[in-house]
Amino acid sequence: MAKSTLKPADFKPQAQVFKALGHPGRLLIVDELSRGERCVCELAEMVGSEMPTVSRHLSILKNAGIVDDDKRGTQVFYRLMTPCVMKFFQCVCDVKSKGGAR
Amino acid sequence: MAKSTLKPADFKPQAQVFKALGHPGRLLIVDELSRGERCVCELAEMVGSEMPTVSRHLSILKNAGIVDDDKRGTQVFYRLMTPCVMKFFQCVCDVKSKGGAR
DNA sequence: AAGCTTATTCGCTATTTGGCGAAATATGTC
DNA sequence: GACATATTTCGCCAAATAGCGAATAAGCTT
């Protein structure tokens, strides 16, 4: 256990998850997916960007292990892989409200 | 407040927090600060970057409300504002383990 | 097969981020 | 005041990111 010599590179996998969540549009997508699966075109309309853009966002989220997809016919439905991701939101609100001791 | 029409911009504050955590070096800093306050030069040595670089990382974390600083003499000590941030790590591990254990 | 729909990949450009060294700022010491 | 230490800000450049439209792929329907 070389816990005393942790390097930045050791945090790369976790950083990838945070980075994937570090975008307003992607957070909106995650929030929406917490209420059920959605296809790309539904999400594109919500986010207000073109489909290629949203598709790219989804691939980033998928790559980070946050969502997964399910192709049915011509559509692709995305869903949250880990509901625990939603706990982030509450915690982030705590950070933002700056409650301090917690 | 019509919450039915949430827009990406509504998630900007939360995205800022995630973005701040979306960097390996900054995660290392947060991890280290979870064990107590540290001055910039200590963190710089840990991260392995020059002090200007680390100082910038710290300002990003501070701006996101994740850390706060305390100037004492010529040194500046940083500390975690919300210990709850550490819960993120566990949750991220969940995300990662689900993605890999298949 | 032709045509329509849905989604992804590609090519491009604009913006942002990350890192460094140099310069500036602040505090303590002599 | 001159000097040393700790930190931040500035100026620059390389790399990554975000967005779009065009092109491509895959699946229905007729």
Side-chain angles (χ1 to χ4, degrees), chain A residues 13-30:
Chain A
Q14 292 102 315
Q16 186 192 14
V17 176
F18 286 123
K19 203 187 298 191
L21 293 170
H23 184 285
R26 291 198 288 266
L27 280 186
L28 175 58
I29 289 174
V30 169

Side-chain angles (χ1 to χ4, degrees), chain A residues 15-84:
Chain A
Q16 186 192 14
V17 176
F18 286 123
K19 203 187 298 191
L21 293 170
H23 184 285
R26 291 198 288 266
L27 280 186
L28 175 58
I29 289 174
V30 169
D31 180 64
E32 178 66 13
L33 291 182
S34 73
R35 287 184 287 278
E37 64 178 17
R38 300 283 187 275
C39 70
V40 182
C41 60
E42 287 176 306
L43 295 170
E45 189 175 353
M46 282 201 59
V47 174
S49 299
E50 296 304 313
M51 218 185 300
T53 299
V54 173
S55 179
R56 220 171 109 60
H57 284 319
L58 286 166
S59 81
I60 290 169
L61 289 171
K62 184 182 171 185
N63 226 2
I66 297 167
V67 305
D68 201 3
D69 62 350
D70 184 17
K71 301 172 210 297
R72 293 205 290 274
T74 75
Q75 312 195 85
V76 179
F77 290 87
Y78 280 84
R79 65 174 193 283
L80 266 195
M81 279 297 280
T82 54
C84 104

Side-chain angles (χ1 to χ4, degrees), chain B residues 5-99:
Chain B
T5 54
L6 276 178
K7 298 184 318 171
D10 297 322
F11 289 90
K12 233 177 141 188
Q14 291 102 318
Q16 187 194 14
V17 175
F18 287 123
K19 203 188 298 191
L21 294 170
H23 184 285
R26 290 197 291 265
L27 279 187
L28 175 59
I29 289 173
V30 168
D31 180 64
E32 178 66 12
L33 291 183
S34 73
R35 287 184 287 278
E37 64 177 18
R38 300 283 186 275
C39 70
V40 182
C41 60
E42 287 176 305
L43 295 170
E45 191 175 354
M46 283 202 57
V47 174
S49 299
E50 295 304 313
M51 221 187 295
T53 299
V54 173
S55 178
R56 222 170 104 60
H57 285 319
L58 287 165
S59 79
I60 289 170
L61 289 170
K62 183 183 172 186
N63 226 358
I66 297 167
V67 305
D68 201 4
D69 61 350
D70 184 17
K71 303 172 209 296
R72 293 206 287 276
T74 75
Q75 311 196 86
V76 179
F77 290 88
Y78 281 84
R79 64 175 193 283
L80 267 195
M81 278 299 278
T82 54
C84 106
V85 170
M86 292 314 295
K87 294 179 195 160
F88 284 17
F89 279 80
Q90 189 53 54
C91 189
V92 168
C93 288
D94 294 350
V95 172
K96 279 301 175 185
S97 66
K98 280 204 185 179

